[in-house]
Amino acid sequence: MKKLTTTILSDVICQRPPNSYKGTFGRAVLIGGNEQFGGAILMSAEAALASGTGLVTVVTAEKNHAALHARSPEAMVVDWSNDELLASVLENATVILIGPGLGLETISHELLTFVLTHQKESQWLVIDGSAITLFAEMNLILKYPKMTVFTPHQMEWQRLSQLLINEQSETANKKKQAEIGGTIVLKSHRTEIYGLTATYSNPIGTPAMATGGMGDTLAGMITGFLAQFENKEAAICAAVYLHSLIGETLGKTHYVVLPTEISKQLPLFMKKYEQ
Amino acid sequence: MKKLTTTILSDVICQRPPNSYKGTFGRAVLIGGNEQFGGAILMSAEAALASGTGLVTVVTAEKNHAALHARSPEAMVVDWSNDELLASVLENATVILIGPGLGLETISHELLTFVLTHQKESQWLVIDGSAITLFAEMNLILKYPKMTVFTPHQMEWQRLSQLLINEQSETANKKKQAEIGGTIVLKSHRTEIYGLTATYSNPIGTPAMATGGMGDTLAGMITGFLAQFENKEAAICAAVYLHSLIGETLGKTHYVVLPTEISKQLPLFMKKYEQ
Amino acid sequence: MKKLTTTILSDVICQRPPNSYKGTFGRAVLIGGNEQFGGAILMSAEAALASGTGLVTVVTAEKNHAALHARSPEAMVVDWSNDELLASVLENATVILIGPGLGLETISHELLTFVLTHQKESQWLVIDGSAITLFAEMNLILKYPKMTVFTPHQMEWQRLSQLLINEQSETANKKKQAEIGGTIVLKSHRTEIYGLTATYSNPIGTPAMATGGMGDTLAGMITGFLAQFENKEAAICAAVYLHSLIGETLGKTHYVVLPTEISKQLPLFMKKYEQ
Amino acid sequence: MKKLTTTILSDVICQRPPNSYKGTFGRAVLIGGNEQFGGAILMSAEAALASGTGLVTVVTAEKNHAALHARSPEAMVVDWSNDELLASVLENATVILIGPGLGLETISHELLTFVLTHQKESQWLVIDGSAITLFAEMNLILKYPKMTVFTPHQMEWQRLSQLLINEQSETANKKKQAEIGGTIVLKSHRTEIYGLTATYSNPIGTPAMATGGMGDTLAGMITGFLAQFENKEAAICAAVYLHSLIGETLGKTHYVVLPTEISKQLPLFMKKYEQ
């Protein structure tokens, strides 16, 4: 298992090409936020925007639209019950994230199957939160496993891999990752990444980050990094590492680090590590 | 009566265990915010989040949901007329707060009785604001008095204890606290805490804090501290003391201290006093 | 005409009494904000809160409630079509402000007459913006002129006084003020105050303040100062002077001073000039 | 082609006249923001306000009103399906902006034709975003070409001019500008301005600005500058240059510059370059 260091940041975070426009930095579609967990997808959107994604569209319950615009006018928004519009924004997506605050209702199921069947060969797909639970429970199938990232915490990984938490050893996890075929970001106080070519461990982080929404922010960062950077496995690792690095830095002066504070720091930290 | 000092802060605010996750720091359910007083529960939520609670769910009139998410996407939200969902979030709560902006309407009554009957033996309950008035007027009964905290100002304490404001001496208050059986945080310009094992006085605070919403913020802090810290009586005292300490500090440069400013300072002050 | 100086600030902004609570600093009811001009009453509310009013209730079109709470959870809110609730909040008001963003519709008329007939002898009333136009057009009558403040700009003063702008000399204005019987805050790049005992001119201010919402902010400050401070004529003068002083100070580094920036500075400036 | 320098800023950004009021600095009406792209017009509004426009009215889908007020209470708002009110706000406009987030629906068409037919000889009109696409597709006609500014990116310019992107040479563009008769702000990583009297190139900018909403912010700034400053061609150039200058400055420390960050800096940068 390779231990991540700040090197991963300078490897990944490249200078933006001078002759570029917003499309150069990807189109992310973020799907989640039901009536109870709307804040989750708002936090993912903030992270995706602040990490430099070119264009971000949020697909969420209508109830969440006003708060999304109040916080992030940079994001576009689609009512998640509008299939036609959803299909059209998915068509042009570089990366799709589904899961933050998605819930386990009928519409959550429907959205997940819709996304799984509409994913195109060139599109990265990040499956997070309750979408992982749904995926496991419904025995769904990936069209393009190599283009898919799961971001489970340990209990969600148990559901997906059928490995009990105390069975989740590196070897067992690696084997399950190979069966599933996608990348696994296994979140815990020391997150591990089971990638397509190697396995990585994140040696940093702080308990000050143990608060609701931290995973939604990470999912948004992974999405943003996949939207922009060439080497996808490294991009995922860099997002994980940077998330913890910012948390650890803020944690030196903050007893608890609110997830939205991580996003605020992203443009500054990314500049610092730009290669 | 024991005079609180900064010692209470370092006694209570412990280092977070390295191997922890959001569940380690409790699940708070905050109930309040009718159509007129919605801001109250928003302020409680900000205080609970910023003091480090693992997960915060706000149960409030639907009208307040957009503003809650616009300010605090970290919080989850439940429409307070949805009994089924309310029951399910209460089921998993570590601490329940009811009262900020709750009002005195029929639904306020119903919610209070619902909470009082659903409280479990392991769950702390904080009763604030109009919930105290309702509790007194309706002659309601506590299931687990020792797990209950009332946070009345002097007029609310009069309603609850039937002691007129000028009769509210330490002895009389102590006696009433014993009859009620719960903890009493009696708010005034010098707040007193009638705990299960002792009585405490808070020697600090500033008239710059005398502004609407200050009590809602305190209620959110008490809830957040109960959610995280082991010694519950000390946790309540620490929340009261820290609330005044931040207010006093900001009051050196601010003629009036807005309650939301207190919450913004919480992560920084808590870090400073972490033992 | 007395020229205002910083002396007015230290004369008015007194130390808050140690043994005080939010009620000590007044209850302000702010009425305005139709479907088009909702932002106006939000800005008044921010100014009233930041200047230290104990309790602020905003009475506005329902459409504006979410934005109000998103910006100022410290404020309470009442739907302006709810007469019964309006009557009850007016009952307990220390100061009433009507006008910012009120509009000229039927409901605007109704609200103004409602307020004029419900004003109690002890209640200060500030009439601003379109409420001045309505007052003039409808030939309405003040119950307690000495307890009333009008805050017209020059065109509104023309409507109210029937003095054309070029006829608005000190003598003519003073005469009209005496007829009307209330205090007149005549806003221009050099605001004049025609008080009950004297006439004052504000020698400061900056064209950087010439932007929409500046008057709504001033109205909120006057309301907040009347709610708290003993000498009412001096309080009005101090609010006018401080509004310009903050604007002038920010104007040294800002080409335009947004009204909400004035409110953010209020607690700091008031502390600086506290006597 | 004249290369823009900071000189354009001091040429344009004049000291505000001492005896001025909000009307002195223009009335801008901003039209855009459908159900999917509401954030766009919010960002334009922030830029117009922060650049010093006297009064800003936003005409947008009702769904966006709460978020607009939550972010910018300084703006007034009109439901874009209210023709009567729209006509009345247009009547008094100094500058009209149409396009940010306007969409391509029936109502978008209707609004554009409404504006084109209602423009008065004295009113500047800025046509941005999807309004350019609609204008091109529907073969619409300008009433006052010299009072009109188009702000296309290269693909929108292709639609408007029928020049393929690789045919968009200075000569070809200049010829098309002359045919159209209005000013063309051709946005790319090095924006060019085809004015009525000359052609200008903007030598600055940074790929950190390549993110959704940057154009909406620029459109708001151009609108704000046209509302205030005498020499209109220079005002447009100054807005373009300052937009890039702020972006470049923030880009030294930020990997990505969010458009709303540009607006926050406007009052400070404008003061620095005030002549």
Side-chain angles (χ1 to χ4, degrees):
Chain A
M1 199 175 286
K2 299 187 191 172
K3 212 171 250 183
L4 295 174
T5 67
T6 55
T7 306
I8 193 72
L9 301 182
S10 20
D11 284 357
V12 166
I13 305 172
C14 55
Q15 281 200 10
R16 294 185 151 210
N19 185 348
S20 57
Y21 74 112
K22 58 192 174 187
T24 312
F25 305 110
R27 290 161 199 272
V29 174
L30 280 49
I31 305 168
N34 68 4
E35 304 242 325
Q36 184 177 0
F37 307 125
I41 202 72
L42 270 60
M43 290 187 281
S44 299
E46 288 172 45
L49 287 164
S51 60
T53 312
L55 288 158
V56 172
T57 295
V58 175
V59 180
T60 185
E62 186 153 23
K63 171 178 166 181
N64 304 315
H65 293 203
L68 173 70
H69 278 335
R71 293 189 69 85
S72 302
E74 293 87 353
M76 294 165 284
V77 71
V78 165
D79 179 358
W80 75 0
S81 68
N82 185 337
D83 276 6
E84 202 182 334
L85 198 48
L86 173 57
S88 111
V89 297
L90 284 182
E91 181 70 23
N92 300 307
T94 316
V95 191
I96 302 159
L97 164 65
I98 185 161
L102 182 70
L104 299 167
E105 293 94 64
T106 309
I107 193 164
S108 327
H109 289 226
E110 287 169 358
L111 284 163
L112 181 56
T113 11
F114 193 93
V115 163
L116 288 170
T117 51
H118 281 71
Q119 185 187 6
K120 297 195 291 185
E121 203 167 356
S122 62
Q123 290 177 327
W124 278 84
L125 173 60
V126 182
I127 301 180
D128 180 68
S130 46
I132 300 173
T133 302
L134 286 171
F135 185 88
E137 283 177 1
M138 296 164 74
N139 290 307
L140 296 171
I141 294 166
L142 297 177
K143 269 171 85 180
Y144 305 108
K146 290 188 180 170
M147 300 294 282
T148 304
V149 184
F150 287 95
T151 55
H153 54 56
Q154 293 165 305
M155 180 53 68
E156 289 163 345
W157 180 231
Q158 176 176 314
R159 288 180 203 128
L160 185 60
S161 68
Q162 279 145 336
L163 294 168
L164 298 178
I165 290 181
N166 61 13
E167 298 167 351
Q168 297 176 2
S169 67
E170 184 185 346
T171 320
N173 292 338
K174 183 70 203 129
K175 198 167 150 238
K176 282 290 175 186
Q177 177 278 321
E179 282 171 39
I180 294 167
T183 300
I184 310 296
V185 176
L186 177 51
K187 298 182 291 192
S188 74
H189 74 292
R190 289 290 172 258
T191 294
E192 293 170 348
I193 298 149
Y194 294 87
L196 304 184
T197 74
T199 306
Y200 311 84
S201 77
N202 174 29
I204 60 170
T206 162
M209 298 173 76
T211 190
M214 216 29 114
D216 307 312
T217 296
L218 176 58
M221 286 177 65
I222 292 173
T223 304
F225 275 51
L226 284 171
Q228 293 171 75
F229 301 122
E230 271 306 294
N231 181 333
K232 303 302 178 184
E233 188 155 311
I236 296 164
C237 292
V240 168
Y241 188 84
L242 183 57
H243 181 252
S244 292
L245 181 64
I246 298 176
E248 230 183 56
T249 309
L250 292 177
K252 284 182 185 135
T253 48
H254 292 68
Y255 187 74
V256 62
V257 176
L258 293 183
T260 48
E261 296 299 314
I262 302 269
S263 295
K264 281 186 200 151
Q265 295 298 322
L266 273 168
L268 297 163
F269 271 77
M270 289 179 75
K271 188 67 188 178
K272 232 181 331 194
Y273 289 97
E274 182 189 47
Q275 77 183 149
Chain B
M1 201 174 284
K2 299 188 191 171
K3 212 171 249 181
L4 296 174
T5 67
T6 55
T7 307
I8 193 71
L9 302 182
S10 19
D11 283 356
V12 167
I13 305 172
C14 55
Q15 280 200 10
R16 295 185 150 208
N19 186 348
S20 57
Y21 74 112
K22 57 193 175 189
T24 312
F25 305 110
R27 290 160 200 273
V29 174
L30 280 48
I31 306 169
N34 68 4
E35 306 242 325
Q36 184 178 1
F37 307 125
I41 202 72
L42 271 60
M43 289 186 281
S44 299
E46 288 172 46
L49 287 164
S51 60
T53 313
L55 288 158
V56 173
T57 295
V58 175
V59 180
T60 185
E62 186 153 22
K63 171 177 166 181
N64 304 315
H65 293 203
L68 173 70
H69 278 335
R71 292 189 69 86
S72 303
E74 293 87 354
M76 293 165 286
V77 71
V78 165
D79 179 357
W80 75 0
S81 68
N82 186 338
D83 276 5
E84 202 183 334
L85 199 48
L86 173 57
S88 111
V89 299
L90 284 182
E91 181 70 23
N92 300 306
T94 315
V95 191
I96 302 160
L97 164 65
I98 186 162
L102 182 71
L104 299 168
E105 292 93 63
T106 309
I107 193 164
S108 328
H109 289 227
E110 286 170 357
L111 284 163
L112 181 56
T113 13
F114 193 93
V115 164
L116 288 170
T117 52
H118 281 71
Q119 185 186 6
K120 295 194 293 185
E121 203 166 355
S122 63
Q123 291 177 326
W124 278 84
L125 174 60
V126 182
I127 301 181
D128 179 68
S130 45
I132 300 174
T133 303
L134 286 171
F135 184 88
E137 283 176 2
M138 296 163 75
N139 290 307
L140 296 171
I141 295 166
L142 297 177
K143 268 171 86 180
Y144 306 107
K146 290 187 180 170
M147 300 293 282
T148 304
V149 184
F150 287 94
T151 55
H153 53 55
Q154 293 166 303
M155 181 52 69
E156 288 162 345
W157 180 231
Q158 175 175 316
R159 288 178 203 129
L160 184 61
S161 66
Q162 278 146 334
L163 294 168
L164 298 178
I165 291 182
N166 62 14
E167 299 166 352
Q168 298 176 0
S169 67
E170 186 185 344
T171 320
N173 292 337
K174 184 67 204 133
K175 199 168 151 237
K176 283 289 173 186
Q177 177 278 322
E179 282 170 39
I180 294 167
T183 300
I184 310 295
V185 176
L186 178 51
K187 298 182 291 191
S188 74
H189 75 292
R190 289 290 173 257
T191 294
E192 294 170 347
I193 298 150
Y194 294 87
L196 303 185
T197 74
T199 304
Y200 310 86
S201 78
N202 174 30
I204 59 170
T206 161
M209 298 174 75
T211 189
M214 216 29 114
D216 308 310
T217 296
L218 176 59
M221 286 178 65
I222 292 173
T223 304
F225 276 50
L226 284 170
Q228 294 170 74
F229 302 122
E230 271 306 294
N231 182 332
K232 302 303 179 184
E233 187 155 312
I236 296 165
C237 291
V240 167
Y241 189 83
L242 184 57
H243 181 252
S244 291
L245 181 64
I246 298 177
E248 230 183 55
T249 309
L250 292 177
K252 285 182 184 134
T253 49
H254 293 68
Y255 187 73
V256 62
V257 176
L258 293 183
T260 48
E261 296 300 314
I262 302 268
S263 295
K264 280 185 200 152
Q265 296 298 322
L266 273 167
L268 297 163
F269 272 77
M270 289 179 76
K271 188 67 188 178
K272 234 182 329 195
Y273 290 97
E274 182 189 45
Q275 76 184 146
Chain C
M1 199 173 286
K2 298 188 191 172
K3 211 172 251 183
L4 295 173
T5 68
T6 56
T7 306
I8 192 73
L9 302 181
S10 21
D11 283 357
V12 167
I13 305 171
C14 56
Q15 279 200 10
R16 293 184 151 211
N19 186 349
S20 57
Y21 74 112
K22 57 193 174 187
T24 313
F25 306 110
R27 291 161 200 272
V29 174
L30 281 48
I31 305 168
N34 68 4
E35 306 242 325
Q36 184 178 1
F37 307 125
I41 202 72
L42 270 59
M43 290 186 281
S44 299
E46 288 171 45
L49 287 164
S51 60
T53 313
L55 288 158
V56 173
T57 295
V58 175
V59 180
T60 184
E62 186 153 23
K63 171 178 166 178
N64 303 316
H65 293 202
L68 173 69
H69 278 335
R71 293 189 68 85
S72 303
E74 292 88 355
M76 293 165 285
V77 70
V78 166
D79 179 358
W80 75 0
S81 68
N82 186 338
D83 275 6
E84 203 183 332
L85 198 48
L86 173 57
S88 111
V89 298
L90 284 182
E91 181 68 23
N92 300 306
T94 316
V95 191
I96 302 160
L97 164 65
I98 186 162
L102 182 72
L104 299 167
E105 292 93 64
T106 309
I107 192 163
S108 328
H109 290 225
E110 286 170 358
L111 284 163
L112 181 56
T113 12
F114 193 94
V115 164
L116 289 169
T117 51
H118 281 72
Q119 185 186 5
K120 295 194 293 186
E121 203 166 356
S122 63
Q123 292 177 325
W124 278 85
L125 173 60
V126 182
I127 301 181
D128 179 69
S130 45
I132 300 173
T133 303
L134 287 171
F135 185 89
E137 284 176 1
M138 295 163 75
N139 290 308
L140 297 170
I141 294 166
L142 296 178
K143 269 170 85 179
Y144 305 107
K146 289 186 181 172
M147 300 294 282
T148 304
V149 183
F150 288 93
T151 55
H153 54 56
Q154 293 165 303
M155 179 53 68
E156 288 162 346
W157 180 231
Q158 175 176 315
R159 289 180 202 127
L160 184 61
S161 66
Q162 278 146 334
L163 294 168
L164 298 178
I165 291 182
N166 62 14
E167 299 166 352
Q168 297 175 1
S169 66
E170 186 184 344
T171 320
N173 292 337
K174 185 67 204 130
K175 197 167 152 240
K176 283 289 174 186
Q177 178 277 323
E179 281 171 39
I180 294 167
T183 301
I184 310 294
V185 175
L186 177 51
K187 298 182 291 190
S188 74
H189 75 292
R190 289 290 172 257
T191 294
E192 294 171 346
I193 299 149
Y194 295 87
L196 304 184
T197 74
T199 304
Y200 310 85
S201 79
N202 174 29
I204 60 169
T206 160
M209 298 174 76
T211 190
M214 215 31 113
D216 307 310
T217 296
L218 176 59
M221 286 178 64
I222 292 173
T223 305
F225 275 50
L226 285 171
Q228 293 170 77
F229 301 122
E230 272 307 293
N231 181 333
K232 302 304 179 184
E233 188 156 312
I236 296 165
C237 291
V240 167
Y241 188 84
L242 184 57
H243 181 252
S244 290
L245 180 64
I246 298 177
E248 229 182 56
T249 309
L250 291 178
K252 284 181 185 136
T253 49
H254 292 68
Y255 187 74
V256 62
V257 176
L258 293 182
T260 48
E261 296 299 316
I262 302 268
S263 295
K264 282 185 198 153
Q265 295 298 322
L266 273 168
L268 297 162
F269 271 77
M270 288 179 76
K271 189 67 189 177
K272 235 184 325 198
Y273 289 97
E274 183 189 45
Q275 77 183 149
Chain D
M1 199 174 285
K2 298 187 191 172
K3 211 171 251 182
L4 296 173
T5 68
T6 55
T7 307
I8 192 74
L9 301 181
S10 21
D11 283 357
V12 166
I13 305 170
C14 55
Q15 279 200 10
R16 293 184 152 211
N19 185 349
S20 57
Y21 75 112
K22 58 192 174 186
T24 313
F25 305 110
R27 291 160 199 273
V29 174
L30 280 48
I31 305 168
N34 68 4
E35 306 242 325
Q36 183 177 0
F37 306 125
I41 202 72
L42 270 60
M43 291 187 279
S44 299
E46 288 172 45
L49 287 163
S51 60
T53 312
L55 288 158
V56 173
T57 294
V58 175
V59 180
T60 185
E62 187 153 22
K63 172 177 166 180
N64 303 315
H65 293 202
L68 173 69
H69 278 334
R71 294 189 68 86
S72 303
E74 292 88 353
M76 294 165 284
V77 71
V78 166
D79 180 357
W80 75 0
S81 68
N82 186 337
D83 276 7
E84 203 182 332
L85 198 49
L86 173 57
S88 111
V89 297
L90 284 182
E91 181 69 24
N92 300 307
T94 317
V95 192
I96 303 160
L97 164 64
I98 185 162
L102 181 72
L104 300 167
E105 292 92 65
T106 308
I107 192 163
S108 328
H109 289 226
E110 287 169 358
L111 285 162
L112 181 56
T113 11
F114 193 95
V115 164
L116 288 170
T117 50
H118 282 71
Q119 185 187 4
K120 297 195 291 185
E121 202 166 356
S122 63
Q123 291 177 326
W124 278 84
L125 173 60
V126 182
I127 301 181
D128 179 69
S130 46
I132 300 173
T133 302
L134 286 170
F135 185 89
E137 283 176 0
M138 294 164 75
N139 290 308
L140 297 171
I141 294 165
L142 297 178
K143 268 170 86 180
Y144 305 107
K146 289 187 180 171
M147 300 293 283
T148 304
V149 184
F150 288 94
T151 55
H153 54 55
Q154 292 166 304
M155 179 54 68
E156 288 162 347
W157 180 230
Q158 175 176 315
R159 288 180 204 128
L160 184 60
S161 67
Q162 278 146 336
L163 295 169
L164 298 178
I165 291 182
N166 61 14
E167 298 167 352
Q168 297 176 2
S169 66
E170 185 185 344
T171 321
N173 292 339
K174 184 68 204 129
K175 198 168 152 237
K176 283 290 173 185
Q177 178 277 323
E179 281 170 38
I180 294 167
T183 301
I184 310 295
V185 175
L186 177 52
K187 297 182 293 191
S188 74
H189 76 291
R190 289 290 173 257
T191 293
E192 293 170 347
I193 298 149
Y194 294 88
L196 303 183
T197 74
T199 305
Y200 311 85
S201 79
N202 174 30
I204 59 170
T206 161
M209 299 173 75
T211 190
M214 216 30 114
D216 307 311
T217 296
L218 176 59
M221 286 177 64
I222 292 173
T223 304
F225 276 50
L226 284 171
Q228 293 169 76
F229 301 122
E230 270 307 294
N231 181 334
K232 302 303 179 184
E233 188 155 312
I236 296 165
C237 291
V240 168
Y241 188 84
L242 183 58
H243 180 253
S244 290
L245 180 65
I246 298 177
E248 229 182 55
T249 309
L250 292 177
K252 282 180 186 139
T253 49
H254 292 68
Y255 187 74
V256 62
V257 176
L258 292 183
T260 47
E261 296 299 315
I262 302 268
S263 295
K264 281 185 199 151
Q265 295 298 322
L266 273 167
L268 296 163
F269 272 77
M270 289 178 75
K271 188 67 188 179
K272 230 178 338 193
Y273 290 98
E274 182 189 46
Q275 77 183 149

